[in-house]
């Protein structure tokens, strides 16, 4: 299973999902990150632990996806997951968030836009990103289109 839309990500216990559709893997990622944030283990959460927790979360909800990590650079998967360089307290935190539902195309998805909204909320609430420093690209007719040029 390479992709799975969830008709209601509320069962993943995300903050304010509003019963929206979303990707199962994204919901499992966010649930794991929020749980680690709540219990204080986020600073020490390794990539291995993150992926295993996501896998367990997905299996418990009936999905057979296997979360994987790929990178063009070597990563020590036993080291903590890091989205923000916390040792560098100056500078601006920036993010580019892309959600493509392939609106009007064969194989149209329904949860990618909501995944972007949930990731944006996570980055804002947990990591202190400012909305003005996040670029959102979605094929929803409202945001910038996710084209090569705009990326």
């Amino acid at each position: 299973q390479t992709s799975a839309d969830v008709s209601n990500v509320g069962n993943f216990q995300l903050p304010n999902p509003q019963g929206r559709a979303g990707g199962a893997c994204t919901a499992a990622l966010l649930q794991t990150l929020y749980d680690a944030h709540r219990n204080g283990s986020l600073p020490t959460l390794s990539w291995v632990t993150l992926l295993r927790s996501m896998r367990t979360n997905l299996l418990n909800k009936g999905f057979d996806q296997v979360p994987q990590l790929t990178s063009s650079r070597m990563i020590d998967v036993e080291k903590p997951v890091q989205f923000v360089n916390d040792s560098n307290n100056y500078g601006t935190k920036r993010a580019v968030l892309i959600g493509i539902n392939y609106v009007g195309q064969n194989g149209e998805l329904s949860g990618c836009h909501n995944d972007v909204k949930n990731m944006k909320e996570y980055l804002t609430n947990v990591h202190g990103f400012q909305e003005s420093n996040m670029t959102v690209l979605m094929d929803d007719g409202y945001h910038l289109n996710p084209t090569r040029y705009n990326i």
Side-chain angles (χ1 to χ4, degrees):
Q1 183 174 359
T2 57
S3 180
D5 272 352
V6 181
S7 61
N8 181 346
V9 295
N11 61 356
F12 281 90
Q13 301 170 347
L14 302 180
N16 195 25
Q18 299 174 6
R20 300 178 300 214
C25 203
T26 304
L29 167 68
L30 286 170
Q31 182 177 2
T32 300
L33 292 173
Y34 275 119
D35 288 348
H37 176 66
R38 277 190 293 274
N39 70 29
S41 66
L42 188 58
T44 60
L45 180 69
S46 74
W47 288 104
V48 169
T49 303
L50 172 68
L51 293 169
R52 285 184 181 151
S53 178
M54 288 174 63
R55 175 72 172 138
T56 299
N57 193 333
L58 288 163
L59 283 172
N60 289 340
K61 294 188 177 35
F63 296 97
D64 59 2
Q65 289 172 283
V66 179
Q68 298 178 24
L69 175 68
T70 60
S71 175
S72 60
R73 297 180 184 182
M74 291 295 295
I75 294 176
D76 183 347
V77 295
E78 295 296 339
K79 288 193 174 183
V81 172
Q82 193 172 9
F83 296 113
V84 177
N85 184 357
D86 290 327
S87 65
N88 180 0
N89 290 328
Y90 59 91
T92 303
K93 299 174 189 176
R94 298 183 191 280
V96 176
L97 304 169
I98 302 171
I100 304 173
N101 277 347
Y102 301 99
V103 176
Q105 298 181 37
N106 192 16
E108 183 174 331
L109 300 171
S110 61
C112 302
H113 298 163
N114 293 328
D115 286 348
V116 165
K117 292 172 186 173
N118 286 329
M119 285 299 300
K120 182 178 175 184
E121 185 173 333
Y122 171 78
L123 291 172
T124 301
N125 294 336
V126 175
H127 294 289
F129 280 67
Q130 299 296 312
E131 186 170 344
S132 60
N133 295 321
M134 289 190 260
T135 299
V136 175
L137 305 173
M138 293 195 290
D139 59 346
D140 62 356
Y142 176 73
H143 293 88
L144 283 173
N145 277 324
T147 63
R148 182 181 200 157
Y149 177 79
N150 286 338
I151 294 169

